[in-house]
Amino acid sequence: MKKIRNFCIIAHIDHGKSTLADRLLQTTNTISEREMMDQVLDDMDLEREKGITIKSHAIQINYKHTDGVEYILNLIDTPGHVDFSYEVSRALAACEGALLLVDATQGIQAQTISNLYLAVDNNLEIIPVINKIDMDGAMIEEVKDQIIELIGCKSEDILLASGRTGIGIEGILDAIVNRIPCPKGDPEAPLQALIFDSVFNSFRGIIVYYRIMNGSITKGEKIKFISTDQDYVADEVGILKLTMQEQKKVQCGDVGYLITGIKNAKEVKVGDTIVNAINPAPMIKGFSEVKPMVFAGIYPVLTEDFEELRECMDKLQLNDASLTYELETSQALGFGFRCGFLGLLHMEIIQERLEREFDQTVITTVPNVSFIAYSTKGDIIRVNNPSEMPDPTQMNNIDEPFIKAQIITKPEYIGNIMTLCLGKRGMLINQSYLTQTRVELIFEMPLTEIVFDFYDKLKSQTRGYASFDYVPIEYRESDIVKMDILLNGEKVDALSALIHRSRAQEFGRKLCEKLKELLPRQQFQIAIQAAIGAKVVARENISAMRKDVTAKCYGGDISRKRKLLEKQKEGKKRMRQIGNVEVPQEAFLAVLKLDD
């Protein structure tokens, strides 16, 4: 155990975390030149394209130190985006130290700070590293001052490196060995291992990744998962190199994998504790269940594809513990799922993965957050979906979730950010200057307002110079109403939305205008209405396609033409009563992209 070091890399999105990991693997010859490629630990195409880590990974590095001793370094890679803070917390719980990576050209940003606080809460040894020092715009001294102010370290403790060119990589490896403590644990105690990830393999079932806190795990041993209270046999155990390497036994303090032939995703809970079935140890503390923040309906384009979509959702959940879903039906879209996501990026990624990995084209409904409604009888109802909203006459009040948003930006963009956040019903709590050129703004705002397009607008208002992070705080009473969209008097339940009363009319008007553009014209007139209860707040008409029925009348009495037009009018009236309005898929997507 003296030779083991477990560490992770924490950074803001785009600060070069995956590139630094590549260099560490290359410098220690963990990976051959032939296997080397950019972002080697990111094995999804999506991760490479977006330049983000979605799934956390683990890999074991063998490093020969200058004192001649060979050390085992377990790198547990973590995602950087705010939506995946749950994965970050699992990875941190399995480590003793963290490299705090800061971009020399951008300095400290919002997620650097939030991930750092997570690491400090887990009592990790922090090694500050300034990356990208070879770039033209590198502000090394300035960023050093920011780090010293943030974590209170000495200037000489900060390492300088470049993940792209490999400068300073040896120094980082030395610091990992010298500064990060070795794992503490009792090899003789009963087995106690923390599950920090799981992946699905179509041949082997679910492969569980864990870090052993006490004891050891042997092939063929009878084990138990505490939270599900299920017993299994460890068919195969081993360590994680670039591929899995089987071992007879994985020792205390090490990171490894376990195959037991589990086929059902619900049986493996990330954050659960693996113990010996005969002599069980207590559960490892400090782990919470995943809480989805944003909800949306996912439906197959063709109703007959529903069963196939259900299988795909099951498989996706094996790879992504933070996705939750339940069955839902809609009059407009048929059978589908009500899914809970960690945030909007998470929702976009699930949608893309369904399309790429499983060839499933899906329709996503308007995303919304979870509200709490209090009925006049004193019942508490959790509303994740507009259709679950109780009748206003039977409701006392409704609470919506609020978040604390932390925005770090340049001083010249304060005005733009204020306008944006106050327009989204935000309240400024604090404004402080971190340095002369960086200001931190803290707002309290409703999560509902962030769900749509807040992140994109923030980026455009600040030319990309603002970093954003948030934490949920509490539920507060609010004037939330359900807005329905009616086509020819028929409700389209998939377009219903829960929205603050002050924003409902404007939102309804925009939506009606957008639908007018997107809905195909019919032989009869279509009325598009946005309504709150029985009150219509916005309306647009799509005029009927007109066929010239009088074309065959050459001259003659006007009454002949009138007779034909009256006949057409009657026909259109009848058509309107029985005619269905087809809503194209773009109309459901348009709701997500309503521009101001």
Side-chain angles (χ1 to χ4, degrees):
M1 277 171 65
K2 293 264 188 294
K3 295 178 187 170
I4 297 175
R5 300 287 183 273
N6 296 322
F7 73 101
C8 62
I9 307 173
I10 52 177
H12 187 79
I13 186 167
D14 243 8
H15 278 207
K17 194 153 49 68
S18 297
T19 313
L20 182 72
D22 292 348
R23 285 300 84 71
L24 291 172
L25 299 178
Q26 213 175 0
T27 309
T28 54
N29 298 323
T30 304
I31 186 165
S32 66
E33 287 297 327
R34 196 166 63 86
E35 293 168 312
M36 192 63 214
M37 58 180 164
D38 285 349
Q39 288 175 262
V40 72
L41 291 181
D42 295 345
D43 48 18
M44 264 186 252
D45 291 342
L46 255 181
E47 295 183 307
R48 293 218 165 83
E49 278 171 32
K50 289 183 182 286
I52 56 174
T53 301
I54 295 168
K55 196 100 187 67
S56 56
H57 298 261
I59 190 163
Q60 193 174 92
I61 300 169
N62 290 67
Y63 170 61
K64 199 159 192 171
H65 194 245
T66 43
D67 58 10
V69 180
E70 190 166 287
Y71 288 88
I72 296 170
L73 315 179
N74 288 312
L75 162 62
I76 298 171
D77 193 18
T78 61
H81 197 277
V82 56
D83 284 0
F84 302 107
S85 55
Y86 176 69
E87 294 231 351
V88 176
S89 73
R90 300 183 313 197
L92 294 182
C95 299
E96 275 82 32
L99 298 179
L100 175 70
L101 200 61
V102 182
D103 186 332
T105 60
Q106 294 181 337
I108 284 172
Q109 293 192 295
Q111 277 160 262
T112 320
I113 297 176
S114 61
N115 287 346
L116 173 69
Y117 289 156
L118 271 175
V120 171
D121 289 345
N122 280 293
N123 296 324
L124 301 193
E125 176 65 38
I126 309 288
I127 301 176
V129 179
I130 298 179
N131 193 21
K132 304 190 187 179
I133 56 164
D134 58 323
M135 300 274 280
D136 293 342
M139 313 172 288
I140 297 170
E141 291 309 316
E142 206 174 303
V143 176
K144 263 191 184 179
D145 293 344
Q146 290 176 19
I147 294 173
I148 291 166
E149 206 171 311
L150 181 67
I151 60 175
C153 62
K154 296 194 186 89
S155 175
E156 56 269 23
D157 292 343
I158 301 171
L159 305 175
L160 303 179
S162 163
R164 195 165 57 95
T165 57
I167 302 166
I169 299 298
E170 283 289 344
I172 292 175
L173 288 163
D174 278 351
I176 291 168
V177 169
N178 298 332
R179 282 154 68 172
I180 293 177
C182 61
K184 293 175 179 59
D186 184 354
E188 304 305 317
L191 168 68
Q192 204 181 25
L194 169 74
I195 299 176
F196 66 83
D197 203 0
S198 64
V199 292
F200 180 74
N201 181 308
S202 44
F203 303 109
R204 320 285 314 260
I206 294 175
I207 301 168
V208 178
Y209 293 166
Y210 56 85
R211 147 80 201 271
I212 299 183
M213 299 299 185
N214 289 305
S216 59
I217 190 166
T218 317
K219 185 178 176 172
E221 186 179 340
K222 201 170 179 200
I223 53 159
K224 176 178 173 178
F225 292 176
I226 291 186
S227 76
T228 53
D229 204 22
Q230 298 269 3
D231 291 6
Y232 306 98
V233 172
D235 295 336
E236 186 182 312
V237 296
I239 55 168
L240 296 152
K241 293 282 192 179
L242 194 59
T243 52
M244 297 185 293
Q245 289 191 2
E246 193 177 346
Q247 307 274 323
K248 290 267 191 310
K249 187 177 189 178
V250 180
Q251 304 286 356
C252 179
D254 220 335
V255 173
Y257 73 91
L258 161 76
I259 297 174
T260 56
I262 302 171
K263 291 283 188 280
N264 182 0
K266 308 276 187 296
E267 292 175 36
V268 180
K269 284 206 171 139
V270 171
D272 200 355
T273 307
I274 307 173
V275 293
N276 185 298
I278 298 133
N279 182 12
M283 192 166 190
I284 297 164
K285 288 189 185 67
F287 226 89
S288 60
E289 285 279 333
V290 55
K291 290 189 186 71
M293 300 294 286
V294 174
F295 295 85
I298 285 187
Y299 294 85
V301 175
L302 300 172
T303 326
E304 56 263 32
D305 293 345
F306 171 71
E307 281 304 323
E308 204 180 319
L309 180 63
R310 187 206 291 260
E311 280 174 31
C312 300
M313 295 297 282
D314 279 342
K315 284 181 185 165
L316 250 185
Q317 200 179 33
L318 302 177
N319 273 341
D320 190 340
S322 39
L323 169 70
T324 60
Y325 65 91
E326 57 191 37
L327 282 174
E328 180 183 62
T329 51
S330 149
Q331 291 158 356
L333 300 170
F335 289 108
F337 297 97
R338 190 80 195 157
C339 303
F341 307 99
L342 301 177
L344 281 182
L345 179 84
H346 188 212
M347 177 175 137
E348 191 186 315
I349 281 161
I350 294 293
Q351 213 175 323
E352 286 220 17
R353 286 184 69 185
L354 279 170
E355 286 184 10
R356 287 177 180 217
E357 294 172 30
F358 305 104
D359 282 337
Q360 288 288 321
T361 315
V362 291
I363 294 174
T364 313
T365 62
V366 185
N368 61 278
V369 301
S370 179
F371 299 94
I372 295 175
Y374 297 90
S375 73
T376 45
K377 295 176 187 167
D379 298 334
I380 296 174
I381 306 151
R382 189 168 274 276
V383 182
N384 292 336
N385 185 346
S387 62
E388 293 169 7
M389 179 94 154
D391 192 271
T393 54
Q394 297 167 357
M395 202 167 63
N396 260 347
N397 63 307
I398 186 162
D399 291 0
E400 67 173 328
F402 268 69
I403 58 158
K404 184 168 140 196
Q406 176 197 34
I407 299 169
I408 295 179
T409 185
K410 291 186 166 185
E412 58 259 40
Y413 300 118
I414 292 176
N416 293 1
I417 292 174
M418 290 277 195
T419 313
L420 175 67
C421 293
L422 297 176
K424 298 272 186 191
R425 298 191 285 130
M427 290 178 293
L428 180 66
I429 301 300
N430 190 15
Q431 175 180 339
S432 57
Y433 279 82
L434 301 172
T435 63
Q436 277 92 11
T437 56
R438 303 181 82 71
V439 61
E440 178 188 48
L441 302 166
I442 307 279
F443 285 92
E444 280 183 6
M445 46 202 309
L447 183 62
T448 334
E449 300 289 343
I450 284 183
V451 161
F452 273 111
D453 52 2
F454 179 79
Y455 200 56
D456 295 339
K457 282 198 177 143
L458 180 70
K459 286 285 180 211
S460 60
Q461 296 278 0
T462 59
R463 298 184 189 165
Y465 277 110
S467 61
F468 170 70
D469 193 29
Y470 66 85
V471 283
I473 38 178
E474 61 186 354
Y475 278 80
R476 294 180 189 169
E477 194 176 328
S478 194
D479 190 5
I480 297 291
V481 290
K482 178 185 173 189
M483 195 179 74
D484 293 309
I485 296 293
L486 305 143
L487 294 181
N488 277 351
E490 292 280 321
K491 279 186 189 173
V492 182
D493 57 353
L495 290 174
S496 297
L498 295 170
I499 191 159
H500 194 265
R501 195 183 294 275
S502 64
R503 299 278 306 278
Q505 196 164 352
E506 176 202 4
F507 181 74
R509 196 176 62 248
K510 277 191 207 155
L511 192 46
C512 288
E513 284 167 7
K514 197 80 175 170
L515 287 172
K516 184 180 177 180
E517 287 171 31
L518 291 165
L519 291 180
R521 284 170 69 187
Q522 306 284 349
Q523 298 280 350
F524 50 91
Q525 186 188 25
I526 305 171
I528 306 167
Q529 295 167 306
I532 298 169
K535 184 186 173 193
V536 174
V537 291
R539 173 178 175 136
E540 291 284 340
N541 288 332
I542 299 178
S543 52
M545 283 197 290
R546 183 164 176 267
K547 185 181 175 189
D548 189 0
V549 286
T550 59
K552 60 177 182 275
C553 289
Y554 301 107
D557 190 2
I558 185 69
S559 59
R560 286 179 63 200
K561 290 189 178 182
R562 196 162 289 144
K563 196 168 142 195
L564 284 170
L565 290 168
E566 286 297 322
K567 197 172 163 191
Q568 184 187 32
K569 200 169 166 187
E570 283 300 312
K572 287 203 183 298
K573 203 169 176 183
R574 197 164 56 248
M575 233 180 194
R576 185 174 170 177
Q577 286 165 356
I578 59 165
N580 281 334
V581 182
E582 284 289 315
V583 183
Q585 195 179 340
E586 294 83 60
F588 296 105
L589 301 176
V591 188
L592 310 179
K593 299 186 172 73
L594 282 182
D595 295 323
D596 269 1

